[in-house]
């Protein structure tokens, strides 16, 4: 409920793009090895392909080791 209230999106469609309030975005550094990654377009089942380096620039985001294998 908090994520939906803060982002303005429903769970399953929460996108780092176009949120009502600014939130720090952290991208797992492994995403940087790809030319394109998919992220939510703000609606369940709607994905947007973006270059991860462009995403970092647009959102003023950072990349780091957040994922586990």
């Amino acid at each position: 409920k908090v994520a939906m209230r803060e982002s303005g999106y429903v769970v399953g469609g929460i996108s780092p793009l176009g949120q009502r309030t600014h939130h720090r975005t952290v991208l797992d550094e492994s995403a940087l090895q790809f030319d394109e990654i998919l992220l939510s377009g703000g609606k369940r089942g709607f994905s947007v392909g973006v270059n991860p380096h462009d995403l970092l620039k647009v959102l003023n985001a950072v990349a780091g080791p957040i994922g586990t294998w």
Side-chain angles (χ1 to χ4, degrees), residues 3-41:
M4 290 190 302
R5 184 178 64 244
E6 291 290 323
S7 69
Y9 295 110
V10 296
V11 173
I14 297 176
S15 174
L17 304 172
Q19 293 193 15
R20 295 177 188 166
T21 56
H22 176 75
H23 297 280
R24 178 134 207 183
T25 300
V26 180
L27 183 65
D28 190 79
E29 62 190 8
S30 65
L32 300 177
Q33 67 184 312
F34 301 101
D35 293 330
E36 183 178 77
I37 59 172
L38 296 176
L39 55 99
S40 176

Side-chain angles (χ1 to χ4, degrees), residues 26-68:
V26 180
L27 183 65
D28 190 79
E29 62 190 8
S30 65
L32 300 177
Q33 67 184 312
F34 301 101
D35 293 330
E36 183 178 77
I37 59 172
L38 296 176
L39 55 99
S40 176
K43 182 179 179 182
R44 284 186 186 159
F46 179 64
S47 297
V48 177
V50 297
N51 180 287
H53 296 281
D54 292 340
L55 185 64
L56 292 177
K57 289 178 196 172
V58 167
L59 297 176
N60 194 28
V62 295
I66 60 171
T68 59

